Amino acid sequence: MEWLDNFFEKKTRSIAQNSSRRGALARIAKYFVGTAFVLPVLPFDRSSANAAADSEDFDPLDDQRCEYWRYCALDGHLCTCCGGSITTCPPGSSASTVSWIGTCENPEDGKHYIVSYYDCCGVSSCGRCYCNENIGEKPAYRMGLHNDINWCMGNESEVYHCTVSIVLGTASDKA
Ligand code: ABN
C-alpha cells in the first residue's frame, strides 16, 4: 500500500504548494458574505402564517380555539384538545380543588358570564392548544382572578395537565 501513501502525499503537497492560506480564507469569507446577502431576499412562503393571523374565518364557538368566548381569562392548555371536554378533565386527571374566575362576554346573547377555571391535575402537561387570554386577569394580589399559576398546588398531585371552564352564571346574577 506504499504506492497509495505516496500518491496522497504527492497530492497533498501539490495542493499545499498551489494554494495559500489567505486565498482559502478569502474564498470561505466570500461564501459566508454571499449567503448573508442572498438568504434574506429569497422568497419565503408566509401565506399560511398570514392567513391564520388575518383571518376572521373561524367558528367563534369552536371550543378547541383560544378565541372561544369562555376562555377569555384562561392561561393553560385546553382540556378539549387533551381528551376532556370544556367542563370535564381528561381520564386519569382530576380537577384542582381551587380555581380562578373570569368574566367573559358570550357573543350569542351579548351577556357577561362568570366563568370558573379549574386546572386538571395528576397527569403530565397535555402540551396541546395552549392559550393565554387575560381579560380581567389580575396579578397574584387578587388570587381569585390570577391565572398564571399552577392551581394544582392544593391537590395530592401538583402536576398540571390542562384547564376546563365552567360557567357559574351571568355577571349580574345576585348571590
Ligand atoms: N393555571 C394554569 C397554569 C398552570 C401551570 C402554570 C401556569 C399556569
Side-chain angles (χ1 to χ4, degrees), residues 91-111:
S93 62
S94 48
S96 54
T97 52
V98 276
S99 69
W100 75 102
I101 57 168
T103 305
C104 306
E105 183 181 344
N106 181 344
E108 287 190 298
D109 60 11
K111 288 186 185 160

Side-chain angles (χ1 to χ4, degrees), residues 5 24 66 81 90 98 102 107 115 126 131 154 159 162 167 169:
D5 289 344
C66 300
C81 298
V98 276
V115 181
C126 150
C131 299
V159 177
C162 62
V167 173

Side-chain angles (χ1 to χ4, degrees), residues 1-18:
M1 287 301 222
E2 205 183 318
W3 63 269
L4 196 63
D5 289 344
N6 291 340
F7 173 78
F8 278 111
E9 188 185 337
K10 263 196 205 135
K11 278 278 170 215
T12 314
R13 281 186 194 287
S14 111
I15 289 169
Q17 278 158 9
N18 293 324

Side-chain angles (χ1 to χ4, degrees), residues 75-76 100 119 147-151 160 163:
D75 177 354
W100 75 102
D119 286 341
N147 65 15
D148 195 17
I149 53 168
N150 181 358
W151 280 105
Y160 167 76
T163 305

